Every structure is written in C-alpha cells, then in structure tokens.
Amino acid sequence: TMAHVYAHNDFFKNNRMFKKYTKANLVIEMFKNHANRIRGYIQDPSIGYEQVEQILDAAHAIKFQCGIFENEKENNIESNLQNGICSGNLLKFIIENSYLEEWQRDIITVIMEESRYFIPQIETKIMNEGWASWWHYKILQSVELPPSLQFEFLQVHNSIISPVPGRLNPYYIGFKIWESLDKKHQDNPAYLMTVREVERDASFIRNYLTFDLC
C-alpha cells in the first residue's frame, strides 16, 4: 500500500494535468470552504435548499466546460472532445456575463473550481493506477521478501490487476502498458518519466496500447 501510494504521489506531482489547478496543500481547505458557502446559502431564509439545488444541478450539467484545456492549443495538444470536455470555459462565461444573483454566480464558481480538481484525475485514471501498480510491483520485487510474504504480496497484487470479465480494469490496462514500456525502454528509464509527465489516458492508450499488447 505504501509503495502504491508513493507512486500516486509521484504521478500527481509530475503529470502536466495537475500542474495548474491542483494545489495539494490547499485542497482540504478549499473543499471545507466550498461546503460552508453552500451550507450558508441553504440556511439563508431568502434562498433555501430548493433554489440552491436548482443552480447546483444546472452547474453540474455543464461542469466539464470549466476551461481546464483552454491553453492546450497553444501547446499543440488537442482538446478531448470525445468525452464532452472541451477547451472553452462556459462556466466562467456565465459567471461574468449572466444576470444571475451573486450567490448563484458563487455556486457556479464552486463547481468550476471543484471540476478543475477532479478532471485531471478522470483524464489520467488508467495511467495513474497503472503507474502506481507497476511501481508497487517493482519495489516489492526488489526487496527480496521471504517466500511466505512474497506469496501473500503476489496474491494481493494479482487481485488488483486481474482482468474483469465484461469490464475494463484500469489497474490492469495501465499496468500492462507500463510493463511493456519498461521492457522496451530498459536502457532509457527517462523515457518512462517523460511519458508519465506529458500524456493523459486518451493519448497514452492511443500511443502505447499496441495491437500485439491487446
């Protein structure tokens, strides 16, 4: 578990998707602050639960249009339109140009900020879980566990990365791609660090899930 989590930490720290809007030292306070603001509007007699729920539902319906990819074209990186996430910031446009009340605009701001936190995790699920699974495997293989502990570790590891009939296991897919890249680039470990830094799931799968690996 420790090896797996440390690999996640490495991924969050270095992957480009988390560079702009993910501030690890502030995230707990951000969520607490957002919760207090929403709770305050619910408890306000002039607003109340139903009005808050209405604006929350509307904002969540377009939460992926939060501008997280708005600078991608400058870097020659395509916007990921396939899953409904585009480069434009519709939420910001509504905040700045609508006739909504201040509390309504504030709630949309909350949704925009939280979406910018979660989208990088959505966009890198396979890469991230595969990276963590691959590293926990390499680390535990390197420490020369006694046979009883090695067997216990392999049981847990195989349960994590095993294919699931009828579904895609992101741990399994990611692990297999990273494993294949490790074998292919044994003489150039920096290559894997670059892949970890610049890709997201769409490009990671497109570039490295080969026919033979499938």
Side-chain angles (χ1 to χ4, degrees), residues 10-210:
D10 172 77
F11 191 91
F12 289 133
K13 182 177 180 179
N14 291 288
N15 182 268
R16 67 178 177 85
M17 296 294 296
F18 299 88
K19 295 290 187 183
K20 188 172 183 180
Y21 295 113
T22 303
K23 309 296 181 186
N25 59 323
L26 301 176
V27 68
I28 293 177
E29 288 303 315
M30 179 189 78
F31 283 119
K32 287 171 62 177
N33 177 266
H34 289 173
N36 289 334
R37 280 150 64 184
I38 298 298
R39 194 176 296 113
Y41 295 132
I42 290 173
Q43 294 171 351
D44 186 329
S46 67
I47 301 172
Y49 178 86
E50 290 188 2
Q51 289 199 77
V52 170
E53 184 179 44
Q54 185 179 34
I55 196 71
L56 278 173
D57 287 346
H60 274 291
I62 53 173
K63 65 183 177 181
F64 289 147
Q65 321 305 324
C66 62
I68 197 168
F69 295 118
E70 58 193 349
N71 296 319
E72 295 276 84
K73 289 184 179 180
E74 298 174 9
N75 300 321
N76 296 318
I77 303 168
E78 84 287 356
S79 298
N80 188 354
L81 299 175
Q82 292 179 340
N83 62 2
I85 302 175
C86 78
S87 59
N89 192 340
L90 182 57
L91 292 173
K92 184 178 179 182
F93 180 84
I94 292 172
I95 292 166
E96 295 179 349
N97 297 280
S98 69
Y99 294 101
L100 294 173
E101 295 183 35
E102 183 60 35
W103 70 268
Q104 293 172 314
R105 289 197 295 269
D106 187 44
I107 288 179
I108 296 174
T109 301
V110 166
I111 299 303
M112 181 177 69
E113 291 175 352
E114 294 199 359
S115 297
R116 286 172 167 176
Y117 174 81
F118 285 112
I119 285 175
Q121 300 183 49
I122 296 169
E123 285 281 315
T124 60
K125 177 71 173 179
I126 291 172
M127 280 187 74
N128 196 347
E129 295 298 357
W131 183 255
S133 301
W134 178 66
W135 272 108
H136 82 223
Y137 180 78
K138 284 177 67 73
I139 291 169
L140 268 294
Q141 291 292 79
S142 71
V143 296
E144 299 181 356
L145 295 171
S148 60
L149 291 180
Q150 176 73 356
F151 179 72
E152 182 180 347
F153 160 66
L154 289 174
Q155 282 185 309
V156 175
H157 172 72
N158 290 332
S159 70
I160 292 171
I161 69 159
S162 61
V164 180
R167 292 192 290 123
L168 298 177
N169 181 351
Y171 297 81
Y172 178 65
I173 298 171
F175 177 85
K176 287 298 183 181
I177 296 176
W178 285 116
E179 183 182 50
S180 70
L181 286 174
D182 183 39
K183 292 176 181 177
K184 187 175 181 180
H185 299 280
Q186 286 183 346
D187 297 331
N188 184 18
Y191 184 87
L192 273 70
M193 301 303 172
T194 300
V195 172
R196 175 263 272 133
E197 181 179 352
V198 304
E199 305 287 7
R200 65 177 190 261
D201 282 352
S203 57
F204 183 65
I205 291 171
R206 182 175 61 248
N207 293 331
Y208 304 111
L209 184 59
T210 64

